Amino acid sequence: MTVSAPAISSASGEIDEALLHIEQIGARLSAMPSEVENVVKAATDRGKAEASKAGPILEPAVRASFDPKVMVAEISDSLAEVADGKVDRAALAKAAMAFEDGRKKIIAMYESQDRVTAKQIEARISGADDGPRIKQLADLMASPDLAAETALTMQVMYVSLEAFSDANSAELASASPEKLKSELGGVITSLRDRTENEKPVPKDVARMEEKARLTFILAALPKEDLSVLSDFYQSAEGKAKRQALVDAYQKVSDQANTRMLERYFPALAGYFKTHPRPQQQ
């Protein structure tokens, strides 16, 4: 977690803090600026030769628009409005720590190519004892939907990079703030609704990959902690917290994506003034 626990606990209780840790909210939001490099590579691999020029313009806009501490605090406030009910705070906090240990174990397994551990994990997932509960829990958690939000932000970034090479981009970039806002207003909504030709990563693919990642992590948990998480996410309180988390994350993400576009295009206009296109000269 890039955002420390004290930063989030001030606006939420122990249950909310555990949930934020399990779903890696701070880490996801803190990683957004680093996604620019991945999107630039994806665009370049697809033949967008000028993406590398647009990347240094986009990255500062992303960094300035995604403030993890502020965004986590807003999400925490939304979670705090949902009643905790009868959730065992201590047990959930312990399960959150176990989940983090499991996440590190899976990372280490991949890095060391530990086939013994991998076979143990795969056997537990396919087994009749814990397998069904692990798969059900991966479906119930918020992370797949949060991964889809990251994919959406990457799609917004990709569109921004494409605009660099668009014949009309110079005109749009130099438009008034009012015109720019009206032109950009539908971009995020359009990308959210799109289910075909999604670049660089389709939202459903991001969900599927995140669910697979979660399944492996959950299979590394002790039975007791797996049971605690399963009970929490199946409870009325857990479902309400999970939905509030996804809704709040989507809201702050949309706001950040809008800020990103509103910063990027004026910066692009400044670039075109010092680096005019041939048709501008």
Side-chain angles (χ1 to χ4, degrees):
M1 289 281 287
T2 304
V3 179
S4 63
I8 57 179
S9 61
S10 61
S12 65
E14 295 172 69
I15 292 172
D16 297 345
E17 183 178 336
L19 182 58
L20 290 167
H21 274 82
I22 292 166
E23 302 286 6
Q24 290 191 283
I25 302 304
R28 292 178 193 278
L29 295 172
S30 297
M32 289 305 177
S34 65
E35 295 291 0
V36 175
E37 183 178 350
N38 297 326
V39 177
V40 168
K41 184 180 185 306
T44 302
D45 290 346
R46 285 177 168 84
K48 307 291 182 182
E50 291 190 305
S52 59
K53 297 178 182 178
I57 305 171
L58 179 60
E59 196 274 343
V62 176
R63 190 172 296 281
S65 302
F66 283 82
D67 187 327
K69 289 184 179 180
V70 172
M71 296 172 78
V72 170
E74 289 185 33
I75 294 170
S76 298
D77 288 344
S78 295
L79 288 179
E81 295 176 3
V82 179
D84 294 341
K86 299 178 181 178
V87 179
D88 187 331
R89 291 168 170 76
L92 189 61
K94 177 178 176 294
M97 292 177 64
F99 185 87
E100 179 62 17
D101 290 341
R103 189 179 69 84
K104 291 176 180 177
K105 180 178 180 179
I106 297 303
I107 292 173
M109 180 191 77
Y110 280 116
E111 289 178 346
S112 64
Q113 297 184 342
D114 183 352
R115 288 301 305 159
V116 173
T117 299
K119 287 181 179 179
Q120 292 172 346
I121 294 292
E122 290 166 357
R124 192 177 183 194
I125 293 171
S126 61
D129 188 11
D130 292 326
R133 179 163 55 173
I134 287 170
K135 294 169 186 174
Q136 180 191 44
L137 182 51
D139 284 333
L140 290 172
M141 291 178 68
S143 288
D145 282 347
L146 303 182
E149 288 299 319
T150 296
L152 174 65
T153 294
M154 293 176 72
Q155 291 172 20
V156 176
M157 293 178 186
Y158 194 95
V159 167
S160 300
L161 296 180
E162 285 186 315
F164 186 93
S165 304
D166 191 279
N168 300 317
S169 58
E171 180 182 348
L172 176 61
S174 59
S176 68
E178 293 76 17
K179 179 175 173 55
L180 184 62
K181 194 163 190 173
S182 66
E183 291 285 340
L184 299 176
V187 171
I188 298 169
T189 301
S190 174
L191 290 172
R192 184 176 292 285
D193 293 340
R194 184 182 296 179
T195 57
E196 297 180 356
N197 195 29
E198 297 177 85
K199 296 175 285 189
V201 180
K203 293 182 284 294
D204 282 347
V205 170
R207 283 192 184 92
M208 180 181 65
E209 291 178 346
E210 182 72 0
K211 200 172 292 185
R213 186 185 74 91
L214 277 179
T215 301
F216 265 62
I217 295 173
L218 293 172
L221 266 59
K223 277 183 175 290
E224 180 184 355
D225 297 305
L226 180 64
S227 179
V228 168
L229 289 180
S230 182
D231 289 346
F232 171 73
Y233 278 96
Q234 290 186 78
S235 70
E237 296 87 356
K239 289 178 179 178
K241 290 280 187 184
R242 183 253 186 224
Q243 192 57 51
L245 173 61
V246 172
D247 290 345
Y249 191 96
Q250 179 178 318
K251 179 182 176 182
V252 299
S253 183
D254 278 352
Q255 291 170 343
N257 284 330
T258 300
R259 290 192 296 268
M260 175 177 71
L261 291 174
E262 290 175 351
R263 285 184 167 98
Y264 172 73
F265 277 93
L268 197 59
Y271 178 89
F272 287 144
K273 286 179 181 177
T274 56
H275 301 78
R277 295 190 179 284
Q279 64 265 31
Q280 293 175 263
Q281 294 176 342

